[in-house]
Amino acid sequence: MKNFDRKRQTGCPVTYGLDIFGDRWSLLILRDMMLHGKNTYGDFLAADEHISTNILADRLKHLEAEGIIEKSDDPENGKRKIYSLTEKGQDLAPVILETIRWSGKYIFLNKERKALVTRIENDRDGLLAEIHQRANAN
Amino acid sequence: MKNFDRKRQTGCPVTYGLDIFGDRWSLLILRDMMLHGKNTYGDFLAADEHISTNILADRLKHLEAEGIIEKSDDPENGKRKIYSLTEKGQDLAPVILETIRWSGKYIFLNKERKALVTRIENDRDGLLAEIHQRANAN
DNA sequence: ATATTTCACTTGCATTTTACAAGTTAAAAA
DNA sequence: TTTTTAACTTGTAAAATGCAAGTGAAATAT
């Protein structure tokens, strides 16, 4: 556990957030959990962005320590661990959705992603509900 | 210009965003511009979080290169430069506001910040309009 | 006119973080 | 009982960060 142990205690809510997920990988892990149903170390490792194994392990440990995700044993496979979003983690969905919406305004998106932006704009609450539902469906 | 030259071109809107502002400082600079009316190098340097001078210079350069902010001469003081938010930069306000709202749910906030969270929840559009107005008031 | 201060940076260097490759451990499947 | 799968850990070079000090140009003071 090497990263982000240096917390900036200024009372600023932006700073608090950045100290937890203000790096190049944490929100991508959460994106995969929220939007792509990923929930194992191997799942996250397989993302297009190619996160390093040690960095992934470190980020998972940190997100867990911050109460954003939880780790549990897979009851159907003893060598597999399952990561899930806590309520605190699920509550980060709006941050991710607004990031997607912002990018959607400035870069080209494929059909699927464009559809997601449309849904963010037209059915935000429904989408959020879906994210929460899936996260709590153990 | 050392940072973030390695862009991950996966077409993912979250990745695009993180490659631009996914670090410990960029969003703090934008926070100061959006919420505290700061607009000079010295202003940003004076933030409670104590950013290093070289890092600040680097981030400003990057944000400018990405079209998030613009740099101009202060007409009233030849040795001062003024940074302002572009439309693309102003459009990041929702990301910052959702981060604030999220943190507000999980940490203690002082009265002023609590009031901001309340306004985010009750007068989001008005707040956004204000941010845009102030940014475009040259 | 000259000296000093202000402002926006740049430079050098030690420390920390990241990325890549390889290795370990335990459980499951062959 | 050997091999494979899954989740990591370890080692190390490269890159980013943080800190202190320095630079250059414009404004202010003397």
Side-chain angles (χ1 to χ4, degrees):
Chain A
M1 211 185 294
K2 4 181 166 173
N3 302 311
F4 295 107
D5 286 352
R6 203 163 7 93
K7 291 259 178 60
R8 299 167 290 193
Q9 316 221 41
T10 58
C12 171
V14 179
T15 304
Y16 175 74
L18 290 178
D19 282 348
I20 291 177
F21 58 76
D23 69 279
R24 286 166 68 71
W25 295 107
S26 297
L27 285 184
L28 292 186
I29 295 169
L30 298 177
R31 168 204 66 183
D32 283 346
M33 296 182 80
M34 286 180 195
L35 267 21
H36 304 135
K38 294 189 179 183
N39 63 1
T40 68
Y41 184 93
D43 283 346
F44 305 134
L45 214 55
D48 286 343
E49 288 85 5
H50 301 113
I51 185 170
S52 295
T53 56
N54 54 343
I55 303 295
L56 174 56
D58 180 77
R59 291 301 115 88
L60 290 170
K61 206 174 288 183
H62 263 277
L63 290 172
E64 193 187 1
E66 293 293 347
I68 311 288
I69 62 176
E70 279 173 343
K71 181 164 129 178
S72 61
D73 296 330
D74 185 340
E76 291 168 5
N77 186 339
K79 71 189 166 194
R80 176 171 282 144
K81 305 285 177 169
I82 292 185
Y83 290 94
S84 54
L85 290 163
T86 62
E87 188 194 348
K88 190 175 181 182
Q90 294 164 40
D91 285 340
L92 277 172
V95 173
I96 291 180
L97 296 187
E98 290 299 346
T99 298
I100 292 170
R101 173 145 74 155
W102 176 77
S103 295
K105 184 170 175 182
Y106 294 101
I107 58 169
F108 170 83
L109 297 182
N110 66 22
K111 269 196 175 156
E112 197 184 331
R113 285 161 173 154
K114 218 170 272 178
L116 176 57
V117 170
T118 302
R119 179 136 191 236
I120 291 170
E121 282 165 357
N122 298 332
D123 181 32
R124 189 182 151 100
D125 290 347
L127 179 54
L128 286 172
E130 213 173 282
I131 288 170
H132 283 267
Q133 273 184 339
R134 179 156 70 178
N136 294 128
N138 297 323
Chain B
M1 213 187 294
K2 1 181 170 173
N3 304 309
F4 297 107
D5 286 351
R6 203 158 10 91
K7 292 257 177 61
R8 300 167 290 194
Q9 316 221 41
T10 59
C12 171
V14 179
T15 304
Y16 175 73
L18 290 178
D19 282 347
I20 291 177
F21 58 76
D23 69 278
R24 287 167 66 73
W25 296 107
S26 297
L27 286 184
L28 293 186
I29 295 169
L30 298 177
R31 167 204 67 183
D32 283 346
M33 296 181 81
M34 287 179 196
L35 266 22
H36 305 137
K38 295 188 178 183
N39 63 1
T40 68
Y41 184 93
D43 283 346
F44 305 135
L45 213 56
D48 286 342
E49 289 84 4
H50 301 112
I51 186 170
S52 295
T53 56
N54 55 341
I55 303 293
L56 174 56
D58 179 78
R59 290 303 115 87
L60 289 171
K61 206 173 290 184
H62 264 278
L63 290 172
E64 193 187 0
E66 293 294 344
I68 310 288
I69 62 176
E70 279 173 344
K71 182 164 129 178
S72 60
D73 296 331
D74 185 339
E76 290 168 5
N77 186 338
K79 72 189 164 194
R80 175 172 281 144
K81 305 287 176 168
I82 292 185
Y83 290 94
S84 54
L85 290 162
T86 62
E87 188 194 348
K88 191 176 181 182
Q90 294 165 39
D91 284 339
L92 277 172
V95 173
I96 291 179
L97 296 187
E98 290 299 345
T99 299
I100 292 170
R101 174 145 74 154
W102 177 78
S103 295
K105 184 169 174 182
Y106 294 100
I107 57 169
F108 170 84
L109 297 182
N110 65 22
K111 268 197 177 156
E112 198 183 331
R113 285 162 173 153
K114 218 170 272 177
L116 177 57
V117 170
T118 302
R119 179 137 191 234
I120 291 170
E121 282 163 358
N122 298 334
D123 181 33
R124 190 182 150 99
D125 290 345
L127 179 53
L128 285 172
E130 214 173 282
I131 289 170
H132 282 268
Q133 274 184 338
R134 180 156 67 178
N136 294 128
N138 297 322

